[in-house]
Amino acid sequence: MKPKVAFFDFSSCEGCQLQIANLEEEILDLISIVDVVSFREVMKEHSDNYEIAFIEGSIMRPMDVTRLRNIRENAKILVALGACATIGGINKIRNQWPADEVKKEVYGDADIKDNRYFDAFQTKAIDEVVKVDYYIHGCPINRDEFKHVVTSLALGKEPIIPNYPVCVECKKNENICMFEKGEFCLGPITGAGCGAICPTHRSACDGCRGIISKPEVECVMDILKRYDLTYEELKSKSKLYNYSREANK
Amino acid sequence: MVDDTNVKLISEKDLDEFVNKLIDNKTYNVMGVKAKGERFVFDHLDNAKELRLDYDVTILPPKKYFLPPSEKLMDFNITKSFDIKKSKKSKKRIIIGIHPYDIIAIQQMDKYYLDSQKDDFYKKRRENTIIIGSDIQNVSKHSFAESMKTHTTYSGFDILLTNLGNKYAVTIGSKQGNDLLEKYGHFRDAKKSELKKIDKIRNQIASQYDKKVDIDKEEWSKYLVANYNNTLWEEKSDKCMSCSSCTMVCPTCYCYNILDDVSLNLKEGGRIRTWDGCLLKDFTKVGSGEIFRDDKKERYRHRFYRKGNYLPERYGFVACVGCGRCAIACLPNIADPCEVMNTLSSFDKSAETDKYFIKQQTKVPDKGTIHIPRSATIKNINKLTDRETLIEIKLDDNKSLGHSPGQFVEVSVLGIGEAPISISSPPKKDPTFQLVVRKVGNVTSKLVSLKPGDKIGIRGPFGNGFDIKKLENKNIIFVCAGLGVAPLRSLYLYVTDKKNRKKFKELKILYGCKEPCEAMFLDEFEELKKTSDYECKMTVDKCPKGECWEGEVGLITTLFPKIDYDNSKSKDTISVVCGPPIMYKFAIKSLKDMKIPDKNIYVSLERHMKCGVGKCGHCQINGVYVCKEGPVFRYDKVKKLPEALE
């Protein structure tokens, strides 16, 4: 019996599901080992009978909470897919301001009172609402890592998600360190697994896979000083994906 | 001094032509130093014009060609019963422009990988590679190679190029290098004056180093041993990000990890070896989740001791060539060995230390390709407790495993991975053996779900077991706590066997576990009493209401006063101890109270034995490879070994 798998999305760009759709001919391999019963982005059928649920997106409203709890009840295994789901990601930028202020800024005087679709609260990652069994990090996710998680679950083994920093993969790729180029890079404190794709393509790491260690401030300050960078740069850089997890001064 | 018989001269133009001929020839993959932004890398050469022999240092050392960051050791198909194929041969390769310090680093790698338990994958790449070295033209400001005496070399290359202005001296280092030059190069013999110039240039290189180590490399070990508890380690490591960038760029670091990967169709898979680093938090993690070097101070210190003490003791050389790559790569600027040794130079090198550091090494004979398992079949599988299962395995080549008690095997489930597991059965002539498997990680969880007839892979036996000869004519006290009974069973079943029993004096087995439901082999202990004369005492930490238990209740140490023993026997008594790390301290104290000398106590230690052949680095306790020198150790040898029993 192939495990039944469903994909769901909350507040997100759906780009992580697109990464899966972009497996192209390998989709055939995927459906040879699992039964996809729900995947709005690529099929019209839907079923609530599934064992593994992949969740993309952040949780923003009470109605999201209800829906997510239902999914959790139906699924034996719940996997958070992509930064919006795993850490809140970009959606958390708005947590800098109270939800009411944000709504006012976006919707102005429009009448959204008592409309459940607009009943937004502070952004939550999936694990702030329900238990998450596995995390596939990234913005977007790395297809190879998705394949690793799916094959691992199908074989009944724990997926191996690195808990070491991006620097490990960056060094293996023989990149010139972004700091040497005078850029602030979150690679040293961000979890690897992406193959250091951004620094390899000459763009500093933005920390989309989540910050794995909070280095002592003194240590970070030393590094900033050594490379002539400011603490403000570190702060603004961390905000993009890790608003609630940014390094504190 | 330069030997004039093997030095030729080649013009700059002819050198370009020589390189282009090698590239056009297509027999070889030609690699060389190229610019990458402001830095340099070894990369594929398309034209001699790309070659930058004026480089200072490359981002990664040429090690990547012999031990790639990621390589497939074998292919397999998990839908077939046991179908493995060793990875294919590599193409012949020429690497142009390797500096002397990197050539010396490759010679060091040869020691690690080719000295004993040859690594076939490394060996093949090494044999397929021609090294065209280059004397340094521009010294990296981070390098201290002159202090390490690695700024020049007279061996380790097939050809060495030295820039003499508008021409190059070509020193031939091997027949292979000579043949290559004769076949593709346009050259002439060197004149006496030109030979002199080579020496002069090499002396000039030495004078270009601003960065110097105040301690001679022969003295590194002394300073390190005397300063194991220096506050320096803590102060520096406070800034460490645990990113292991220092080891990733190091030409002499050689630790690795091994993982199985399976394609999305769940058919084809491969066993992948990747670089690993001892600064990473999970480096020493074992299946049960314990991390043996959890504190970053310990990890930070380990790297310097490995370079300056452990490997010098084992191989006779400091495992640092002074390239300075780690100093460039380390963001908080704490990785530079030159700086650390210079800080240490102000401390005492002769301070008395009660620490023990390894002096000898175990040579292990070659047993075929090191990472390729043998096929084996599960014969029987019996659940012992909720967590433990006894698995009987038969080797498909019908040869006996040939182990000694206390050794372990690496067990593979293709597609899932490999795990080290102690052998639980005594040595036998037939091809079967038994393992007690506790369900803790991926491999063990899969193993216990297998059925008789299923195929698995076996490597080993590995490690240092119990020396049975030393136990003869002695009383033996077995101290088995928890899963510790599994490795000790291989020994107590041997000594209680009818054929062997008379060779040993009194036998006592002390066995403790947490609760009655976790106790293993109770029936077997009873059964043994019928055929063998021995005393057995058992205890559980606690006995929950409603459970049946006839033994004692309390920690294992409560059993010691209860056995029939008096201290006059202590000199003739050996004790073997195995259990969870926390237990050793208490059990050993009890044995000391019984006046048993330290040298009569044997312990079996658990670590992450990944490769089993003393290479991958995961199981290292200080300079000791548990997979080779252990897992069985005499207590007096490890009691002062830092990290062992602390």
Side-chain angles (χ1 to χ4, degrees), chain B residues 365-378:
Chain B
D366 279 13
K367 287 179 205 155
T369 306
I370 61 170
H371 280 295
I372 305 300
R374 293 192 262 171
S375 164
T377 309
I378 303 230

Side-chain angles (χ1 to χ4, degrees), chain B residues 14-22 132 159 180-181 184-185:
Chain B
D14 287 340
L15 177 63
D16 277 2
E17 199 174 305
F18 172 60
V19 172
N20 281 331
K21 274 186 186 163
L22 296 177
I132 302 186
I159 288 173
L180 201 68
L181 189 68
Y184 301 105

Side-chain angles (χ1 to χ4, degrees), chain A residues 13-30:
Chain A
C13 72
E14 301 185 20
C16 290
Q17 291 173 86
L18 192 63
Q19 284 290 88
I20 297 161
N22 281 348
L23 284 170
E24 298 180 350
E25 63 264 45
E26 275 187 288
I27 286 263
L28 298 175
D29 287 334
L30 177 69

Side-chain angles (χ1 to χ4, degrees), chain B residues 384-389 436 438 480-486 511-522 525 538-542 544 547-549 580:
Chain B
L384 297 173
T385 70
D386 274 352
R387 284 193 297 181
E388 284 89 8
T389 303
V436 174
R438 175 180 280 182
C480 328
L483 193 54
V485 72
Y511 175 36
C513 58
K514 281 194 182 121
E515 291 183 21
C517 64
E518 292 187 6
M520 292 178 270
F521 303 116
L522 296 184
F525 283 123
M538 297 193 188
T539 185
V540 289
D541 294 355
K542 59 175 193 292
E547 282 200 50
C548 175
W549 179 250

Side-chain angles (χ1 to χ4, degrees), chain B residues 477 479 510 560 565 567 570 573-577 584 586-598 600-603:
Chain B
I477 303 175
V479 183
L510 311 184
F560 289 88
Y565 179 85
N567 291 355
S570 64
T573 300
I574 301 253
S575 181
V576 294
V577 187
Y584 287 96
F586 301 103
I588 286 165
K589 190 182 173 297
S590 298
L591 292 168
K592 281 169 163 301
D593 291 344
M594 291 157 72
K595 304 283 177 247
I596 296 177
D598 289 352
N600 286 11
I601 301 173
Y602 288 84
V603 294

